[in-house]
Amino acid sequence: MTAMTSKYRILETNVLLERFVTYNEVFSEYLKTIKIIERGEALRYETYGRLIDNYIRNIKQFIKLCNSYLAKYKLENSLVAEKLNNYFFDLMGAISCMNPESETVDHASLELAQSRIKERQTEFINSINFFIK
């Protein structure tokens, strides 16, 4: 039974990592859209407020998926969970560079947020790789 459980855990971990990569692409595209909006090349209805709402919605969906995985393998208080929480914290922090009322962006904050997100991605991947070995 343990070998089968381990096999499923590895398969589900691979699925989680695949979703992690997919969501990373989604979040990167959101952050790229900021520049498109700023240049006035976005669709008429695309605003920072709308971008923030969609970005947060996707983060919440991904959090649910990750929480399900963490609960299933009883990893709520593990290093994997900690690194994942740090990643989500920095993802949420990235929206602070946008001001939906004035439709402006703090580019220095955006660059800092993007670099922190990349660091957190690496930390999470390293923690989950350690877990499945």
Side-chain angles (χ1 to χ4, degrees), residues 13-129:
T13 301
N14 286 336
V15 169
L16 177 68
L17 288 172
E18 182 180 310
R19 295 282 171 88
F20 183 78
V21 169
T22 301
Y23 272 102
N24 276 326
E25 284 298 315
V26 169
F27 300 138
S28 293
E29 289 302 316
Y30 277 117
L31 298 177
K32 289 177 187 175
T33 303
I34 292 171
K35 293 176 184 172
I36 294 171
I37 292 171
E38 189 173 47
R39 290 191 310 251
E41 298 173 2
L43 297 173
R44 184 176 41 130
Y45 59 86
E46 191 65 54
T47 63
Y48 292 125
R50 203 172 137 81
L51 180 73
I52 289 169
D53 290 343
N54 290 329
Y55 183 79
I56 291 171
R57 188 176 307 117
N58 274 289
I59 290 173
K60 286 180 180 179
Q61 287 175 342
F62 189 44
I63 287 172
K64 284 181 187 177
L65 174 81
C66 292
N67 284 342
S68 172
Y69 175 86
L70 294 173
K72 182 172 186 174
Y73 293 105
K74 298 176 181 25
L75 297 171
E76 291 93 345
N77 295 315
S78 69
L79 180 64
V80 172
E82 177 187 332
K83 298 301 181 185
L84 198 53
N85 286 335
N86 292 341
Y87 169 72
F88 286 126
F89 181 77
D90 284 336
L91 276 176
M92 292 299 291
I95 61 175
S96 67
C97 68
M98 292 178 274
N99 185 336
E101 286 83 33
S102 64
E103 293 289 318
T104 59
V105 176
D106 179 353
H107 289 283
S109 294
L110 177 60
E111 287 179 29
L112 178 62
Q114 287 174 317
S115 68
R116 288 187 55 87
I117 290 168
K118 287 182 185 199
E119 288 175 26
R120 300 303 188 186
Q121 290 168 351
T122 302
E123 289 173 0
F124 169 69
I125 295 297
N126 289 338
S127 71
I128 200 131
N129 282 337

